[in-house]
Amino acid sequence: MDEIYDVVVIGGGPVGENVADYAIRGSDRTAAVIEHELMGGECSYWACMPSKALLGPGAALAGARALAGARERVSGERPDPAAVLGWRDTVTSRDDSGLGHDDAGQVRWAEGAGVHVLRGHGRISGERQVTVGDTVVTARHAVVVATGSTASIPPTPGLAEANPWTSRDATNVVEIPDRILVLGGGVVACEAVTWLLDLGVRQVVMAIRGDRLLPKMESFVSQRIADSLRARGADIRFGTTIESVDRPDAAHTGYGRIHGGPATVRLAGDGAGDVVVDEILVAAGRSPATGDLGLETVGLAPGRPIGVDDQLTVADRSWLYAVGDVNGRNALTHMGKYQARVAGDVIAARAEGRSLDDPRFVASADHGAVPQVVFTRPGVASVGVTEQQARDSGVDVRVADGDISVAGSYLVDADYSGHACLVVDATRDVLVGATFVGAQTAELVHSATVAIVGEVPLSRLWHAVPSYPTVSEVWLRLLDQLR
């Protein structure tokens, strides 16, 4: 059987859903999304949504303990594990199906948006063609690759054979290990350690090759997150790698279950020594999921990021687009959805013969206005470049930084601990980076994002008055340093 649509998207996560929607919205064009697992993708079932569901109860409990009148009503030190996992299951529509989740709601949304869902593994089989099983699907206007990424496991002796956890296991935890070793110090590792400690894991060892956590952020971020995790019992070992793993009873028991018997992990470097744990979590990066997509049929290398321009189009292939993790630009769900909106608008404009001479058709935010929130305790929110990144790129840098100590933060916690930093291009007198650490700082980052994207001069930004008493008063303190 052959089928024809105007737009064919490989990958049914939030990125794929959005590009299909934007490409056909308000028109008579047709779109199909091909998904081999679950509509809603990694974010809905194995990443953003379950991780934040696991982190929320601990954060709420910490917030209550910080305030007199609330702390007296708090009866436990940690959230109730069974209730936390139950909330996670509700958020992710977990069920007893083979994949553990029900995506019926996501399918209904797609169909309501006029997007047809095709089940199966899609492979590009020619120009504007994708093969799914015995069906060849042809696109009149565009084929979009939105297959995301997969967790990487380093080629350490015995590690893969030990069947370690990846992020999918950590977010879908069913059996809580007593002892766990976490490889990595990035966002996934730091957030996972936060909720694993909430759930009652007794021993957590973090093996980190470098000298700090969250190495792409300002250096003060690492120190504050490391101090917090250590205070809660985490054993953080910088300058440390896994030399070998021995787990003779490794078993495939399913996502979130302990994968066999204890593992002996030999660590090398500054934190050298043997560690015996019940589970290993590998949080050492992700790779674009492009290995079995038929890219070679159109002259592209499988297993590598798909290079695109700022309209998310593959060079010399005006019909082929790549959005989200697969293009290697930004491995963040909200940035993938942003790219999807741009790509969808570009596809629609090209299909209708309209000009692309408008900023909405250019994915410019990828190049210096990428916001990110890390849901640790304290939380981290950042956008743009760090001070060092700005200096390395030749920017004439001015910096305003300091602890967050305002009336609004005191009302959140009398012992509030937070820090903020603004990075300014002194030549243009505009903000190019901002980082905030502390409770409730996630809600500060969008104002910084708007200031960076809009290139708002500091003389004008001074008139954006923060409400009193809120944590956002820190903006006034920082801008005062730059007068």
Side-chain angles (χ1 to χ4, degrees):
M1 293 177 58
D2 293 344
E3 298 185 16
I4 300 175
Y5 298 88
D6 291 296
V7 181
V8 177
V9 181
I10 308 175
V15 177
E17 292 173 336
N18 270 267
V19 72
D21 178 28
Y22 272 69
I24 67 171
R25 185 183 295 183
S27 74
D28 60 359
R29 288 185 294 278
T30 58
V33 169
I34 301 166
E35 176 53 53
H36 74 289
E37 287 187 315
L38 294 165
M39 284 295 292
E42 199 79 14
C43 178
S44 298
Y45 309 104
W46 298 292
C48 314
M49 297 303 289
S51 66
K52 304 321 168 269
L54 291 167
L55 290 161
L61 197 58
R65 283 199 301 265
L67 291 175
R71 73 168 64 96
E72 288 78 8
R73 296 297 189 185
V74 176
S75 60
E77 289 297 315
R78 292 192 299 266
D80 177 80
V84 172
L85 298 186
W87 168 236
R88 183 272 320 272
D89 292 348
T90 298
V91 168
T92 59
S93 302
R94 192 176 177 92
D95 65 6
D96 296 325
S97 70
L99 287 172
H101 304 279
D102 179 6
D103 67 351
Q106 297 280 0
V107 173
R108 284 194 297 272
W109 177 90
E111 292 174 344
V115 177
H116 184 57
V117 176
L118 296 175
R119 300 286 191 175
H121 182 82
R123 300 182 80 258
I124 295 173
S125 50
E127 183 171 329
R128 293 185 172 84
Q129 285 191 341
V130 180
T131 297
V132 188
D134 296 329
T135 302
V136 176
V137 184
T138 300
R140 294 187 183 93
H141 297 295
V143 172
V144 186
V145 180
T147 49
S149 60
T150 57
S152 301
I153 297 180
T156 302
L159 181 58
E161 292 77 8
N163 197 25
W165 277 10
T166 65
S167 57
R168 281 195 172 193
D169 296 283
T171 58
N172 281 259
V173 55
V174 176
E175 297 174 350
I176 301 169
D178 185 51
R179 305 164 298 176
I180 191 167
L181 182 135
V182 179
L183 177 62
V187 175
V188 172
C190 291
E191 289 189 346
V193 170
T194 300
W195 78 66
L196 289 169
L197 289 169
D198 283 344
L199 292 174
V201 175
R202 179 179 59 84
Q203 178 185 2
V204 177
V205 178
M206 298 183 74
I208 299 154
R209 180 186 297 273
D211 60 359
R212 58 187 175 123
L213 301 174
L214 303 169
K216 296 181 180 180
M217 294 187 166
E218 298 283 5
S219 58
F220 65 82
V221 171
S222 173
Q223 189 61 55
R224 289 183 176 253
I225 301 304
D227 288 348
S228 174
L229 292 176
R230 280 175 169 150
R232 298 181 60 211
D235 177 0
I236 302 175
R237 305 188 188 187
F238 293 111
T240 302
T241 59
I242 296 180
E243 185 175 284
S244 64
V245 178
D246 180 28
R247 192 182 201 180
D249 299 322
H252 292 279
T253 54
Y255 285 132
R257 299 186 181 278
I258 296 175
H259 294 169
T264 300
V265 183
R266 176 152 294 178
L267 300 176
D270 295 342
D274 286 358
V275 179
V276 179
V277 292
D278 302 300
E279 197 50 80
I280 302 165
L281 168 58
V282 176
R286 300 181 66 83
S287 302
T290 59
D292 186 25
L293 294 178
L295 296 177
E296 64 279 2
T297 64
V298 291
L300 298 174
R304 299 178 60 83
I306 303 173
V308 294
D309 60 21
D310 284 346
Q311 292 174 330
L312 291 312
T313 311
V314 178
D316 302 322
R317 301 164 185 83
S318 60
W319 57 274
L320 183 60
Y321 299 73
V323 290
D325 290 10
V326 290
N327 62 33
R329 290 165 68 114
N330 284 291
L332 295 166
T333 297
H334 48 275
M335 294 309 296
K337 292 171 71 173
Y338 161 72
Q339 293 176 10
R341 295 191 293 271
V342 173
D345 281 346
V346 169
I347 293 167
R350 285 175 171 164
E352 295 168 10
R354 293 186 281 117
S355 169
L356 297 179
D357 187 20
D358 189 290
R360 67 183 285 192
F361 300 121
V362 178
S364 57
D366 287 7
H367 301 304
V370 179
Q372 183 170 18
V373 175
V374 186
F375 292 81
T376 44
R377 293 199 303 273
V380 185
S382 68
V383 61
V385 296
T386 64
E387 177 185 354
Q388 191 58 54
Q389 290 166 345
R391 294 190 188 282
D392 290 345
S393 64
V395 172
D396 180 12
V397 172
R398 292 182 68 195
V399 174
D401 72 327
D403 288 346
I404 300 175
S405 180
V406 294
S409 61
Y410 181 78
L411 291 171
V412 171
D413 184 347
D415 296 317
Y416 191 98
S417 177
H419 196 83
C421 172
L422 300 183
V423 181
V424 173
D425 181 336
T427 301
R428 296 189 296 133
D429 196 41
V430 296
L431 192 68
V432 293
T435 301
F436 307 92
V437 178
Q440 297 192 11
T441 55
E443 302 306 327
L444 300 180
V445 73
H446 191 61
S447 53
T449 304
V450 172
I452 292 173
V453 172
E455 298 183 324
V456 181
L458 292 183
S459 58
R460 187 66 180 168
L461 195 58
W462 179 256
H463 296 283
V465 182
S467 299
Y468 179 91
T470 65
V471 179
S472 63
E473 290 174 82
V474 69
W475 275 98
L476 181 59
R477 301 288 178 263
L478 296 170
L479 291 172
D480 206 25
Q481 295 181 34
L482 298 167
R483 290 181 67 190

